Amino acid sequence: MPQTMRALVAGKVGEPADVLRLESRPVPAPRTGQALIRVKATPIHASDLHVLRGRYGFTPEFPTVGGHMECVGHIEALGPDTDGFKIGERVVAVAIPAVPGPSVAGTWQEYLVADTRRLLPVPSQLSDYSACQLAVNPLTALLLVTRELDVQPGEWLLQTAAGSTVGRLVIALSKHLGIRTVNVVRRREAVAEIKALGGDEVICTEDEDLLRRVAEIAGPDGVRKAVDCVAGVVGAQVSQALAPGGQLVVYGALSTHRQTDPAALTIPLQARSVIYETKAVRGFWLNRWFGATSPEDALRALSEVRSLVAEGVLSIPEGQPFPLERFGEALVLAESPAHGAKPLFVFDAQ
Ligand SMILES: NC(=O)c1ccc[n+]([C@@H]2O[C@H](COP(=O)([O-])OP(=O)(O)OC[C@H]3O[C@@H](n4cnc5c(N)ncnc54)[C@H](OP(=O)(O)O)[C@@H]3O)[C@@H](O)[C@H]2O)c1
């Protein structure tokens, strides 16, 4: 094993392209309950970039290795008390720091040490470029649909940014569970694609009125359950489109991604509809879910995701590979409109 490795490190809070540097660092050694993972692939999620900008739900200590979500790799070494794991085994490592809870090493490096309670062995038929995205978005889709909103067969589920990775997984899971989806997209070109994926109804905000279309689709009973990751005006419209007593779970704020002023990160709700129509708007954040869930329960939920993927119910599109050296390009792609497959950092060929 080499003594040193490459890592993408941010020295301080700032715009990722300005603060990230490729550095050489010592390969860490696993302690009790930890494994050393040789990373094969790790995604660039928008949230990874917000962590570096200092506008996410937690801020790591700087300097920090980037990538605070997930990766896939092989176990290279094991510390004491790590029964049940084998050297060479391929695992997904969940690097999401629980809130409240301990911080976890960043994934944008060749090797990282991880708590074995956050490792999930993955089937060989799943490629590295898909497996490295197994935890965050598929788990979010599963938890939103089944646990947060408990959407029942035949019920409508309204969702925004339906073309996002989470959105596509919500469509696939909903189809499997007999849930009907109303999918909001911002580009006309995305409509046919979402229909082809099995989205029941698609609303395009480029040229359609969200409220009017939801009323046409769901009729007088309206939509009782919705998930939103756009926030701002679109999130507010979704809250207005809910039936009385309806619930909206907000899990992202894509429309505010370039905002650094916290006052601009808003969803302008109508007090009338919150009070007199008793609509509920609440948040979901995987970090807080990990903080409130035992490691055993969290692994159970992740295993459920793994089974849904193995059964072909959920599919994870392979990401676009980038070597660490091309991080500038990968960062731009991660937040470009219509970027398609998620950019990934990869460390050697599959
Ligand atoms: N709370 C949690 O724990 C949690 C967990 C996982 C993900 N998330 C959040 O979920 C969201 C989606 O993540 P992802 O990885 O699935 O995203 P992704 O695959 O990168 O896709 C982003 C999607 O959002 C759409 N979009 C971007 N900006 C938009 C805007 N201003 N208005 C409307 N649509 C917009 C894009 O549409 P185009 O195709 O038109 O470009 C694209 O379809 C992110 O906000 C992420 O932070 C939250």
Side-chain angles (χ1 to χ4, degrees):
M1 202 193 318
Q3 301 290 303
T4 58
M5 62 170 176
R6 288 168 304 148
L8 207 46
V9 180
K12 56 179 184 183
V13 171
E15 191 49 36
D18 300 335
V19 294
L20 282 167
R21 300 274 178 276
L22 201 50
E23 286 186 3
S24 177
R25 290 199 152 194
V27 173
R31 298 196 193 143
T32 302
Q34 290 183 330
L36 177 69
I37 311 295
R38 182 173 183 190
V39 180
K40 296 284 300 283
T42 176
I44 305 165
H45 288 300
S47 39
D48 288 316
L49 306 180
H50 298 324
V51 170
L52 302 180
R53 291 181 181 123
R55 48 147 295 186
Y56 199 59
F58 74 92
T59 305
E61 244 176 61
F62 286 83
T64 185
V65 174
H68 291 86
M69 298 291 148
E70 56 188 331
C71 67
V72 69
H74 292 276
I75 297 181
E76 192 82 8
L78 286 162
D81 290 343
T82 51
D83 292 352
F85 288 92
K86 295 191 299 281
I87 305 283
E89 194 170 13
R90 194 169 72 121
V91 289
V92 162
V94 180
I96 302 171
V99 171
S103 65
V104 181
T107 59
W108 296 349
Q109 54 185 336
E110 281 175 285
Y111 293 87
L112 90 158
V113 284
D115 186 329
T116 53
R117 292 174 305 174
R118 293 290 209 95
L119 299 181
L120 186 77
V122 273
S124 55
Q125 67 265 32
L126 198 60
S127 73
D128 287 334
Y129 294 1
S130 296
C132 68
Q133 306 171 63
L134 185 92
V136 175
N137 286 335
L139 181 60
T140 297
L142 178 72
L143 295 175
L144 287 173
V145 174
T146 62
R147 301 202 192 178
E148 290 295 312
L149 285 171
D150 190 22
V151 191
Q152 295 300 308
E155 270 192 298
W156 284 112
L157 175 62
L158 172 60
Q159 70 158 339
T160 57
S164 67
T165 312
V166 175
R168 289 160 190 261
L169 291 159
V170 165
I171 292 170
L173 185 63
S174 298
K175 255 180 73 164
H176 176 67
L177 298 173
I179 295 161
R180 297 182 294 170
T181 53
V182 182
N183 301 280
V184 180
V185 295
R186 64 172 170 179
R187 289 180 296 115
R188 180 64 29 208
E189 308 88 81
V191 173
E193 209 185 325
I194 298 300
K195 286 232 165 97
L197 287 174
D200 294 286
E201 298 284 349
V202 187
I203 300 172
C204 176
T205 51
E206 187 181 321
D207 51 18
E208 288 182 300
D209 182 279
L210 193 151
L211 284 169
R212 202 175 57 234
R213 286 281 289 121
V214 173
E216 279 166 16
I217 293 164
D221 291 342
V223 171
R224 295 188 54 81
K225 294 177 181 174
V227 290
D228 170 48
C229 64
V230 173
V233 172
V234 170
Q237 285 178 348
V238 170
S239 75
Q240 282 171 253
L242 282 178
Q247 303 175 62
L248 165 62
V249 176
V250 181
Y251 69 100
L254 286 163
S255 62
T256 66
H257 266 192
R258 288 290 166 182
Q259 294 288 353
T260 47
D261 173 9
L265 309 177
T266 58
I267 305 174
L269 299 176
Q270 288 197 353
R272 281 190 70 81
S273 85
V274 174
I275 301 165
Y276 303 125
E277 298 181 308
T278 58
K279 293 179 184 176
V281 179
R282 64 177 189 278
F284 170 81
W285 189 35
L286 212 43
N287 297 64
R288 206 164 275 288
W289 181 83
F290 273 107
T293 307
S294 70
E296 295 74 27
D297 277 353
L299 266 188
R300 248 193 302 279
L302 278 167
S303 308
E304 200 179 332
V305 166
R306 182 179 56 188
S307 303
L308 287 165
V309 172
E311 289 159 14
V313 173
L314 298 183
S315 72
I316 306 173
E318 291 200 334
Q320 305 184 52
F322 286 85
L324 273 193
E325 288 73 13
R326 283 173 53 206
F327 70 87
E329 257 175 89
L331 299 180
V332 170
L333 186 67
E335 292 184 310
S336 301
H339 64 64
K342 200 167 273 287
L344 318 171
F345 290 124
V346 298
F347 294 93
D348 48 32
Q350 293 210 51

